[in-house]
Amino acid sequence: MLRTALRNLLAHKARLLMTALAVLLGTAFVSGTLVFSDSVGSAFRNRTAKSLDDVAVSVTAGGGPADTGRLDARAAAAVRAVPGVTRVRPSVHGTVTVADRDGNPAGREWGSQGANYSPDDGGKDGKDSRYPLRTGRGPSAPDEVALDARTAERTGARLGGTVRLAVDGPVITKKLVGTVGTDDPRVESGGSLALFDTRTAQQLLGTKGEFTELVVSAAPGTDQDALAAKVRAALPQGLQAQSGKALAAEQSKVIDKETKSIRNTFLVFAGIALFVGVFIIANTFTMLIAQRTREIALLRAVGASRRQVVRSVLIEAGVLGLVASAVGFVLGLGIAVGLRSVLDANGASLPDGPLVIEPSAVLSALAVGTAVTVLAAWLPSRKAARIAPVEALSAVDQPAAPRSLVLRNAIGGVLTALGVAIMLYVTTIRDSSGLQTAMAGSALTLTGVIVLAPLLSRPFVALFGRLTARFSGVSGTLARRNALRNPRRTAATASALMIGLTLITGFTVVAISADRGVDRMGAQDLTADYKVTSTGFGGMSPEVARTLGGQPGVDAAVPIRMTGFTSHGAPAGLRTTNLGSLTKVTDLKVREGSLAAVRGTSVAVSDEYAEQRALRVGSSLPMEFYDGKKATARVAAVYAKNDVLSDALAAPSFVNPHLDKVLDQEVLVKAAPGASGDLPATLRKALGANPIMKIQSRDDLRRESAGNIDDVLYLMYGLLGMAVVIAVIGVVNTLAMSVFERTREIGMLRAIGLARAGVRSMVRLESVMIAMFGAVLGVGLGVFLAWSGGHLLRSSFPQYEMVVPWARIGVFLLLALAVGVLAAVWPARRAARLNVLESIGSQ
Amino acid sequence: MPAAAPPATPRARTVVARATALSKVYGHGETRVTALDSVSVEFHRAEFTAIMGPSGSGKSTLMHCMAGLDTVSSGSARIGDTELASLGDRQLTRLRRDKVGFVFQAFNLLPTLTALENITLPMDIAGRRPDPEWLGQIVTTLGLSGRLGHRPNQLSGGQQQRVAVARALTAKPEIIFADEPTGNLDSRSGAELLGFLAESVRALEQTVVMVTHDPVAASYADRVLFLADGRIVDELHRPTADAVLDRMRSLPGAHAPDPRS
């Protein structure tokens, strides 16, 4: 039977091409993901290993009781005295933002590093081996700085020139004395590095006289763990020592976790693509077996058992799956490379490294591809087993009457009803606890509709056929009849497309609704024109608001100081601000009491908080501040929930005494009527072109949150695109098979006078009907699932309200139409080119 | 033996199709096969012609060339005044649609269409409405009245072939070509179908050309052309099955087929 299976495979290679392509693409996706994550993981690991190369032991503060030990020169001396230690490098690091020519940050926010330049062994040769010099020398005086070469290039700074930078306050300037290289991944992937002499670094980044880390080196071959224990013993209380090996292992674990989460996300989409492929494989084998009925009956007649027939079909599927998976794996390598450049182009900045092909990736890709193909061919193979030997003798080549759909419809009806019921129940859930339920309900509904698709295809095709009948004439009628001829086949082909479109539509509706919600959030409460924040820790000195308020074109600059309190053990947000001009920057609706009464120990609370705590004007509210002091406030006003103001609002005189440092987290700027469009530039200049200051217009703010949603949405489109491509291949496949099956019919039609164009349009219309059926089902289902599932977002995201993006859905449907037309190009051409005489005479 | 067609009244013998020195050559060099070797023949209105000959004699090729299904190597094939050799695919398709009717040995009907839809298919392709009176006449003549709503798989083999004949007749073509129309039928259904074909020639004044290797089938025709090696070697008018069989036996290099009845 093996030989029969292989012969069949070879005989039908053209017809199996599309199926192989479906398997191939799915496997390519899987293997691409695996190879990509392995490669990126290994590149990350190599890099950390390299940066930990000369770290035998690392000593850091922390790990002790609250008041931690001082990591100072004494501690360093103690460590140096430990036998086996060859060198101790005291290191200081933190966040330093370097300004580019326009006063904007030169590197990414999370990659803006600052550190000390600490020459090896107390500066015998004056060089720090961590930061090999490219030009100039290392900084050694308080007014000197060195930059990593890339940042220096980006900012256009020259040796001897000034560099403008900021740590957590106003801009400071230093003289550039050198440029260095670094293998710090945060810097390499788009950050920046500024180096100072140790004392200056301590001043800028930490407490005077203390270090962030002591990097201990040892002779090669030293037992790091033993050395760490010895160092630990020598350290004062409150400091901890970890071996380089342990650090590497820890980081490696973090890297694994991160690459695994990327990998799993991609694998979900690869799984969807493969699932879509199942429909195509199953369709193909069903058709092949139908075409081969007589041949299989003959095999049965000459003594092949049912089991042998099944096995033969499964072997055929297995070999096909294996070959396609192997090719798919090779293609997957290309995807792995492409994925990296796509992510790099989107700013992911992955470390460079060779493509890593783990044997497990090869094995899983081949196993998954083969298993999916065999599994998909299993049902059709059962059908082959049911072919009776006597069918070999029947003269009439009439395809067996299609099996009844009653059972299938019943099952589909039950599944769909159950799924819809669950989703309707989900709409009543008011928090995110229903996520699992919603996913189960969605899967159930989708499965139900797939099972029901043959039933649904009838009315759809009939209706669609009626719409097109007017201008498509007899070709339209024939196409409609052909599409209805085998509802299972039409449904399976359309289902493949439906799955992709359901997900795409669902994601689109939720994302666009969320986008509008974010929009509304920004527009609802904020009436200021600009929001000024600092990327440094803590916030901005009150000076900033005063400076901004004095600029021409500024109506008001209102500082928002954020803190919090607990009341009866429950935490709540507290804001204080310049109460007089607050209403200029936020749309504050006072429901009860008066804002003017908020002074002394009186506070205003949001209506939501008031309801939670059963407060009203005149109630007293016990508060415990972050400094541990307690006070009892009186509620003087209740305002409608407001995102700018959080739960409670109090006068600065009440709040300030409880703050560690009096800093503002935001300054909201209202432009004066008729202010010039250059206001942001004016503000930036007024703040000394400080790179840590962020000045965002309302549009910027909106884009900041919306931009993310858009990126995610486009990534989804890209990932789901593969499933759609496979579905399109499925349409091509079904049409090509149908054309093959109907060769004689087409020959006869041509003989009695149907022109080539008519044949083409017949095939094309059938294709469009299938594609539109899948698209309409998918879009409808996607909107329904997004509507019902979207209710879960309401609690955490009250501004969420479903928006149906009709324009985009229209685009989806148009694309489906185009897909239908495109998928038909090749099969239609084949059909039209058939030789009339040969077709009529063919078997 | 079924009754032969009644003696044709000597009407004006209009020629509806004509082959002049028609040749058809397949392949070239070593594999060159001459399927038709300078055949000249005329088909007249309201005449039922059978073309007979052993397999490979060129009888099917002659029919295909005359029907515009196959191209001609040399010579001329005309339907009415139209020279087929001068037509492109589009015009040939149009000619088949409007001027020619076909009945094949098997697989004449689209399984997705009802009997009536199959009958009117050429008209639908042309975008014309069938003449209801004519349609009714055909349906009645062929005894299909009760079967028009059925799908092909609900019809017997004989009924399917009758639907095919009805389809060939509806567009009132110049000429109908039938390729072994009884080949897949049992003898009773076959006889019935041949009776209908003869009837459509006699009563509906249609022109039918039928390729067959069955002498009994040929005996329904008004005349029988005998082909061998791509040439017309004999002709018989108002034949009987026995006469046909005799002629077949005497054809050069041919063995007579088994009579099926």
Side-chain angles (χ1 to χ4, degrees):
Chain A
M1 290 312 275
L2 178 66
R3 203 184 313 157
T4 321
L6 292 178
R7 288 259 165 85
N8 276 327
L9 208 54
L10 289 176
H12 300 289
K13 55 186 180 294
R15 265 175 285 162
L16 287 169
L17 189 72
M18 292 291 147
T19 316
L21 212 52
V23 181
L24 189 151
L25 287 180
T27 339
F29 203 162
V30 173
S31 58
T33 302
L34 294 177
V35 170
F36 170 76
S37 63
D38 285 346
S39 304
V40 168
S42 119
F44 268 123
R45 249 189 299 277
N46 284 343
R47 164 162 293 175
T48 37
K50 205 168 136 204
S51 63
L52 288 172
D53 239 3
D54 58 348
V55 180
V57 177
S58 156
V59 179
T60 49
D67 214 353
T68 57
R70 283 171 59 83
L71 189 57
D72 54 11
R74 241 180 32 179
V79 173
R80 195 164 300 148
V82 173
V85 171
T86 56
R87 192 179 66 199
V88 175
R89 190 198 306 281
S91 143
V92 180
H93 36 85
T95 302
V96 173
T97 310
V98 179
D100 68 6
R101 270 167 274 201
D102 308 318
N104 293 314
R108 270 173 225 277
E109 205 175 307
W110 37 262
S112 300
Q113 301 291 311
N116 62 330
Y117 188 82
S118 164
D120 301 345
D121 301 324
K124 264 171 242 159
D125 62 349
K127 287 185 181 160
D128 185 334
S129 58
R130 291 175 300 173
Y131 306 115
L133 282 169
R134 293 283 162 79
T135 57
R137 57 177 176 81
S140 56
D143 65 336
E144 292 176 349
V145 68
L147 294 178
D148 68 284
R150 232 188 276 186
T151 304
E153 192 186 321
R154 227 178 304 157
T155 57
R158 298 184 179 204
L159 289 188
T162 45
V163 173
R164 293 159 37 75
L165 46 87
V167 180
D168 201 9
V171 173
I172 40 183
T173 55
K174 303 268 180 204
K175 194 171 80 174
L176 184 68
V177 295
T179 59
V180 300
T182 176
D183 49 19
D184 184 331
R186 288 166 298 186
V187 177
E188 283 217 316
S189 56
S192 65
L193 172 71
L195 295 173
F196 312 96
D197 69 80
T198 303
R199 192 188 299 258
T200 312
Q202 284 174 328
Q203 218 161 34
L204 288 173
L205 301 171
T207 328
K208 269 185 203 173
E210 285 190 39
F211 306 110
T212 352
E213 187 187 5
L214 297 178
V215 177
V216 179
S217 305
T222 311
D223 180 350
Q224 292 189 352
D225 290 324
L227 188 64
K230 275 190 261 175
V231 168
R232 207 171 291 131
L235 284 175
Q237 179 103 57
L239 298 179
Q240 59 177 8
Q242 255 185 311
S243 71
K245 239 169 36 191
L247 278 179
E250 208 169 273
Q251 294 204 14
S252 163
K253 213 185 279 171
V254 173
I255 291 165
D256 274 352
K257 207 173 144 194
E258 271 173 21
T259 48
K260 204 184 256 177
S261 87
I262 297 181
R263 192 186 70 194
N264 289 348
T265 311
F266 282 5
L267 281 182
V268 166
F269 289 95
I272 292 169
L274 277 172
F275 183 61
V276 168
V278 165
F279 288 83
I280 291 148
I281 302 162
N283 242 1
T284 304
F285 276 90
T286 308
M287 286 187 248
L288 282 182
I289 284 162
Q291 287 166 15
R292 236 188 266 159
T293 301
R294 227 189 276 190
E295 191 183 314
I296 291 169
L298 188 66
L299 279 176
R300 296 272 287 119
V302 299
S305 71
R306 269 168 203 268
R307 197 187 291 171
Q308 277 172 313
V309 169
V310 170
R311 209 183 295 152
S312 149
V313 173
L314 292 184
I315 288 171
E316 196 178 336
V319 174
L320 174 75
L322 194 63
V323 171
S325 307
V327 180
F329 185 83
V330 177
L331 190 70
L333 298 182
I335 290 185
V337 174
L339 213 51
R340 160 178 296 196
S341 30
V342 166
L343 289 179
D344 270 347
N346 283 310
S349 289
L350 302 167
D352 296 328
L355 222 48
V356 175
I357 302 169
E358 302 270 356
S360 66
V362 183
L363 284 181
S364 15
L366 292 186
V368 165
T370 312
V372 163
T373 317
V374 171
L375 221 62
W378 185 71
L379 272 182
S381 80
R382 309 283 307 159
K383 210 170 287 171
R386 275 198 298 270
I387 293 171
V390 70
E391 283 176 63
L393 310 170
S394 77
V396 189
D397 195 22
Q398 195 70 261
R403 279 176 303 133
S404 151
L405 285 167
V406 173
L407 182 66
R408 179 168 175 160
N409 290 342
I411 294 172
V414 169
L415 286 176
T416 311
L418 210 60
V420 168
I422 290 176
M423 291 315 286
L424 289 178
Y425 164 70
V426 163
T427 61
T428 65
I429 301 178
R430 282 281 166 258
D431 56 53
S432 50
S433 67
L435 189 63
Q436 305 266 330
T437 320
M439 274 164 62
S442 304
L444 212 57
T445 314
L446 187 61
T447 315
V449 173
I450 291 172
V451 178
L452 268 188
L455 179 72
L456 298 174
S457 71
R458 279 175 207 281
F460 177 86
V461 171
L463 192 74
F464 190 83
R466 202 167 304 158
L467 285 178
T468 57
R470 214 157 291 171
F471 49 88
S472 59
V474 72
S475 297
T477 313
L478 294 172
R480 193 176 74 219
R481 297 288 170 85
N482 280 339
L484 288 178
R485 190 160 177 171
N486 192 333
R488 281 168 206 271
R489 187 190 296 180
T490 299
T493 313
S495 293
L497 197 59
M498 176 188 87
I499 295 166
L501 268 165
T502 301
L503 295 170
I504 287 176
T505 308
F507 282 131
T508 304
V509 171
V510 170
I512 289 193
S513 303
D515 200 19
R516 297 288 159 81
V518 169
D519 233 39
R520 209 170 289 134
M521 196 156 74
Q524 207 171 23
D525 295 335
L526 197 69
T527 55
D529 298 297
Y530 300 97
K531 179 174 172 178
V532 179
T533 50
S534 159
T535 58
F537 286 113
M540 299 164 285
S541 96
E543 190 61 38
V544 170
R546 275 196 290 276
T547 308
L548 292 174
Q551 296 306 309
V554 172
D555 178 15
V558 182
I560 303 285
R561 205 163 293 160
M562 303 176 173
T563 178
F565 64 95
T566 52
S567 182
H568 299 294
L574 176 64
R575 302 285 180 268
T576 182
T577 177
N578 179 356
L579 291 165
S581 46
L582 182 61
T583 49
K584 287 189 176 172
V585 293
T586 176
D587 186 13
L588 185 66
K589 293 189 190 74
V590 177
R591 294 254 187 263
E592 236 184 297
S594 151
L595 211 54
V598 180
R599 54 173 184 258
T601 58
S602 294
V603 297
V605 295
S606 76
D607 49 1
E608 197 183 59
Y609 188 70
E611 196 182 326
Q612 268 175 34
R613 304 257 124 210
L615 301 170
R616 37 183 316 133
V617 169
S619 310
S620 58
L621 172 67
M623 297 167 82
E624 184 179 344
F625 292 96
Y626 286 170
D627 64 354
K629 306 256 168 60
K630 287 176 189 171
T632 302
R634 203 184 65 87
V635 175
V638 175
Y639 55 84
K641 187 175 164 7
N642 181 307
D643 276 327
V644 177
L645 296 179
S646 178
D647 301 317
L649 180 68
S653 59
F654 184 32
V655 178
N656 288 356
H658 301 287
L659 297 176
D660 196 17
K661 281 181 199 157
V662 176
L663 293 173
D664 296 323
Q665 280 68 37
E666 289 174 355
V667 177
L668 303 177
V669 176
K670 179 75 183 172
S676 81
D678 289 344
L679 197 56
T682 313
L683 298 180
R684 177 158 288 283
K685 216 167 136 202
L687 295 174
N690 192 330
I692 62 171
M693 289 298 185
K694 241 162 120 176
I695 299 168
Q696 292 170 293
S697 68
R698 289 159 60 102
D699 274 349
D700 292 338
L701 289 168
R702 209 169 292 171
R703 229 170 289 143
E704 191 177 50
S705 28
N708 263 328
I709 292 175
D710 264 1
D711 286 351
V712 170
L713 195 55
Y714 286 122
L715 183 66
M716 290 284 187
Y717 287 167
L719 293 174
L720 288 171
M722 186 68 100
V724 174
V725 167
I726 293 181
V728 173
I729 290 175
V731 179
V732 178
N733 186 46
T734 299
L735 290 172
M737 291 262 192
S738 298
V739 165
F740 178 83
E741 266 182 21
R742 298 170 194 161
T743 302
R744 282 204 286 185
E745 256 174 77
I746 293 168
M748 196 272 292
L749 276 168
R750 294 271 296 122
I752 65 167
L754 189 65
R756 286 184 204 278
V759 174
R760 263 198 301 273
S761 109
M762 175 179 85
V763 177
R764 196 185 307 126
L765 277 167
E766 185 180 353
S767 171
V768 167
M769 279 177 200
I770 295 174
M772 289 309 282
F773 176 51
V776 167
L777 271 190
V779 163
L781 200 54
V783 169
F784 170 72
L785 295 179
W787 167 75
S788 44
H791 283 81
L792 296 176
L793 283 169
R794 285 262 174 96
S795 58
S796 52
F797 188 5
Q799 289 83 358
Y800 181 90
E801 202 168 294
M802 189 171 93
V803 184
V804 180
W806 292 114
R808 212 175 275 207
I809 284 179
V811 170
F812 293 161
L813 292 178
L814 278 181
L815 282 178
L817 194 72
V819 157
V821 173
L822 280 179
V825 168
W826 178 61
R829 225 169 55 168
R830 257 185 69 164
R833 283 197 176 164
L834 286 175
N835 178 299
V836 181
L837 281 176
E838 285 170 16
S839 308
I840 295 170
S842 77
Q843 272 299 305
Chain B
M1 277 295 113
T9 43
R11 269 176 291 186
R13 306 244 296 159
T14 323
V15 175
V16 293
R18 167 185 292 147
T20 315
L22 182 62
S23 293
K24 176 73 189 177
V25 180
Y26 292 107
H28 32 85
E30 290 277 301
T31 57
R32 187 183 159 99
V33 176
T34 306
L36 289 180
D37 187 1
S38 194
V39 171
S40 296
V41 64
E42 288 176 352
F43 301 103
H44 302 102
R45 163 138 312 145
E47 189 179 51
F48 187 176
T49 309
I51 303 179
M52 291 207 70
S55 40
S57 62
K59 58 186 190 300
S60 286
T61 308
L62 176 61
M63 189 195 95
H64 293 152
C65 289
M66 289 308 298
L69 286 171
D70 208 347
T71 54
V72 169
S73 299
S74 69
S76 136
R78 282 168 181 271
I79 289 181
D81 296 327
T82 316
E83 173 57 55
L84 302 188
S86 67
L87 300 183
D89 179 75
R90 195 174 302 225
Q91 292 147 311
L92 274 178
T93 304
R94 212 188 166 86
L95 175 115
R96 290 199 300 266
R97 189 186 79 191
D98 297 336
K99 301 260 173 81
V100 182
F102 284 103
V103 181
F104 299 110
Q105 179 172 4
F107 214 79
N108 272 293
L109 309 179
L110 283 196
T112 53
L113 302 182
T114 62
L116 181 62
E117 286 167 330
N118 265 296
I119 293 171
T120 59
L121 188 57
M123 308 291 288
D124 290 336
I125 291 172
R128 281 186 282 142
R129 291 191 160 279
D131 172 359
E133 205 178 314
W134 175 243
L135 189 62
Q137 205 177 343
I138 293 167
V139 168
T140 319
T141 309
L142 289 168
L144 290 169
S145 305
R147 295 270 176 272
L148 292 178
H150 290 53
R151 292 279 162 92
N153 59 6
Q154 296 165 312
L155 299 174
S156 71
Q159 285 167 335
Q160 288 185 27
Q161 288 303 77
R162 268 145 59 196
V163 172
V165 171
R167 183 191 64 204
L169 289 167
T170 35
K172 294 190 189 165
E174 292 285 306
I175 187 164
I176 293 170
F177 292 101
D179 189 359
E180 305 271 12
T182 56
N184 274 356
L185 300 183
D186 61 71
S187 53
R188 209 176 127 251
S189 312
E192 214 172 49
L193 187 81
L194 289 163
F196 283 125
L197 273 179
E199 179 72 5
S200 67
V201 171
R202 195 179 43 79
L204 307 175
E205 301 212 330
Q206 295 297 304
T207 312
V208 175
V209 176
M210 173 178 76
V211 167
T212 184
H213 60 255
D214 174 5
V216 178
S219 68
Y220 284 80
D222 297 325
R223 81 175 163 154
V224 182
L225 298 176
F226 292 93
L227 257 77
D229 300 328
R231 274 177 237 187
I232 295 180
V233 291
D234 204 350
E235 189 172 337
L236 192 64
H237 288 267
R238 270 173 271 148
T240 62
D242 287 333
V244 173
L245 202 53
D246 280 344
R247 292 292 169 96
M248 290 287 285
R249 288 210 181 92
S250 63
L251 284 183
H255 4 240
D258 293 330
R260 292 201 159 187
S261 45

